């Protein structure tokens, strides 16, 4: 006996498509965040093999602000994406 609550093949395709779009959105957002904060916070002349304290602090603040703005814009646009 078939489960009447099981999604149809069409519904499964829609769900998979939505999951793919969500993954694309998250990857795009991560790439933009990384690019923006790296360019803003890391000196272009590499002196050390690791980030210094100022660069680490700047990146922390940059990521926090980027995340807050992204969530705020999502709320203003009525985007009901769950927080990452």
């Amino acid at each position: 006996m078939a489960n009447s609550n099981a999604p149809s093949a069409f519904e499964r395709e829609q769900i998979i498509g939505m999951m793919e779009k969500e993954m694309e959105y998250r990857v795009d957002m991560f790439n933009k965040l990384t690019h923006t904060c790296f360019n803003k916070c890391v000196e272009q002349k590499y002196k050390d093999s690791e980030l210094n304290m100022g660069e680490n602090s700047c990146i922390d603040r940059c990521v926090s602000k980027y995340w807050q703005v992204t969530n705020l814009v999502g709320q203003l646009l009525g985007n009901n994406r769950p927080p990452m």
Side-chain angles (χ1 to χ4, degrees), residues 21-71:
K21 288 289 183 193
E22 182 69 21
M23 183 60 80
E24 289 172 13
Y25 163 78
R26 290 177 187 256
V27 168
D28 185 52
M29 188 177 129
F30 175 80
N31 288 337
K32 287 178 182 177
L33 180 145
T34 302
H35 180 76
T36 299
C37 292
F38 182 86
N39 287 338
K40 178 181 173 72
C41 297
V42 178
E43 289 187 39
Q44 299 304 310
K45 295 180 182 178
Y46 303 113
K47 301 175 197 168
D48 301 315
S49 62
E50 296 183 13
L51 298 174
N52 64 40
M53 185 67 90
E55 291 168 332
N56 274 320
S57 178
C58 178
I59 288 173
D60 286 343
R61 287 190 314 274
C62 180
V63 169
S64 177
K65 288 178 184 179
Y66 194 98
W67 187 241
Q68 288 173 347
V69 168
T70 300
N71 286 333

